[in-house]
Amino acid sequence: MSRPGEQGMTREGALRLEYFIIGLGIFALLLIFQPFNLTLYAVGSVLVVLAGLVNNLLPLAQAGVKVRSVVTVTMVVAMIFCIVLLVAIAAAHLYGVFFLKPPDPNTTSGKVQLATPPFWAQPLVWGIAAVAVALAGAIAAMKKAGG
């Protein structure tokens, strides 16, 4: 008897996954180009990035593909996104260090900027790093358990 996740997707399941991926992209674009609400625009902007990442799953939306492989690829894409996000934060910090004028300690805004902890001490950065490590651990555990 096969374990759950070891059996392949049915034709209907693969079609549902494909429609969800394409529908998410279309919905995100509708939210971006609607002229009524700025909050909906912000939600659409986030969904466009998410839809772009989820589009990596389209080749797996075929009958017979194991659900476990779809989950593994989803985790790999999420882990790569976290790593790229960390590299982007570090690059933005280095750009500021090398190309921008340092804050003036004689002004209020300069005092605030100098009092801010460095980027690597921010909880968001550590949270993203923790998610990337957790995803890497989960992928390794799934690979070990799967054979």
Side-chain angles (χ1 to χ4, degrees):
M1 183 172 168
S2 64
R3 298 183 304 199
E6 289 295 321
Q7 54 218 357
M9 279 191 291
T10 63
R11 180 169 151 67
E12 292 81 22
L15 199 57
R16 237 180 280 129
L17 177 63
E18 185 175 350
Y19 285 162
F20 170 75
I21 292 169
I22 294 170
L24 181 65
I26 292 171
F27 180 63
L29 289 175
L30 287 174
L31 287 179
I32 284 181
F33 290 111
Q34 57 79 33
F36 308 112
N37 192 330
L38 199 54
T39 304
L40 291 177
Y41 172 80
V43 170
S45 298
V46 170
L47 282 178
V48 161
V49 173
L50 182 65
L53 292 170
V54 171
N55 266 333
N56 289 301
L57 299 177
L58 268 176
L60 298 175
Q62 297 178 11
V65 172
K66 293 181 181 176
V67 176
R68 181 184 188 96
S69 64
V70 174
V71 171
T72 303
V73 170
T74 302
M75 290 192 311
V76 168
V77 168
M79 182 185 66
I80 290 170
F81 177 70
C82 289
I83 292 169
V84 167
L85 195 56
L86 290 172
V87 169
I89 291 170
H93 172 74
L94 292 174
Y95 175 82
V97 167
F98 291 114
F99 297 113
L100 299 179
K101 185 176 78 170
D104 183 9
N106 298 324
T107 64
T108 304
S109 65
K111 290 176 186 173
V112 170
Q113 290 174 8
L114 290 171
T116 303
F119 83 98
W120 49 266
Q122 301 290 338
L124 173 69
V125 174
W126 285 103
I128 295 169
V131 168
V133 169
L135 286 168
I139 292 167
M142 282 184 68
K143 185 173 181 177
K144 185 180 259 189

